[in-house]
Amino acid sequence: MNHSTNTPPAGTTPPLGTSWTSVGRTVTEADIAAFAGVSSDFNRLHTDEVWVREHTPFTGRIAHGMLVASISTGARTPGYDDLTVVAFLGVERRMKSPVYPGDTITSTFTLASLRPSSSRPGLAVITVDVRTRNQAGETVQTGSDTLLIELEESAS
C-alpha cells in the first residue's frame, strides 16, 4: 500500500501538494472512556448509549471530535513523520460525520503552504490540510494543522 504521493527523498523539504496517509487506527470503547476522563468531557454523546439512541440521530455513543483529531495527529504517517517538527502552532477541525467505537480511521495530510521563518533562519511555518476518513471511506473530519519545521535541502 502506498501511503504517500509525491514524496521527496528523506532529508529534503517537500514541495507543495505533497500528501501523506496515515496507517489505520481503530477507535475503541477504552479510548473514548479514557479521553472523557483526561478531558473531563463526560457529555452524554460519549457516555450514555441509551440517551444517544433516544435523543440524537446517532446509532450509539460517538467518539469525541478532539479524540479523533488527537488520534489523527499522532498516528504513524510514513513520510510525514520524517519532518522535523519544532513546534505545533495551531489546529483547526470540522466534524463532518460521527466516529463510533470500532471505526478505523486514517488521515491524509497535504502540504498546503510553506513560508520560511523571517525570525528563525532554517525554519519554516507550514500548513497541512487534514482529511480523516473511516473504514468506509467517508470523511469524518477536515481541517488543517500549522507547524514550525526545520528546512532541509531542496529536492532536485
Side-chain angles (χ1 to χ4, degrees), residues 92-128:
E92 185 271 324
R93 291 292 188 279
R94 289 176 298 284
M95 289 53 168
K96 299 293 192 175
S97 293
V99 172
Y100 296 99
D103 281 354
T104 298
I105 58 174
T106 58
S107 295
T108 300
F109 303 86
T110 303
L111 184 58
S113 70
L114 184 148
R115 178 186 55 80
S117 173
S118 55
S119 62
R120 300 197 55 196
L123 301 180
V125 175
I126 66 168
T127 300
V128 291

Side-chain angles (χ1 to χ4, degrees), residues 80-96:
Y80 187 62
D81 291 340
D82 294 334
L83 297 176
T84 302
V85 177
V86 176
F88 197 99
L89 302 176
V91 61
E92 185 271 324
R93 291 292 188 279
R94 289 176 298 284
M95 289 53 168
K96 299 293 192 175

Side-chain angles (χ1 to χ4, degrees), residues 41 43 53 59 77 80 96 139 144:
D41 181 352
N43 186 292
R53 288 177 190 240
T59 60
T77 306
Y80 187 62
K96 299 293 192 175
T139 297
S144 62

Side-chain angles (χ1 to χ4, degrees), residues 32-48 64:
I32 296 169
F35 195 83
V38 168
S39 67
S40 299
D41 181 352
F42 293 97
N43 186 292
R44 290 179 174 183
L45 288 170
H46 316 300
T47 61
D48 189 333
H64 303 75

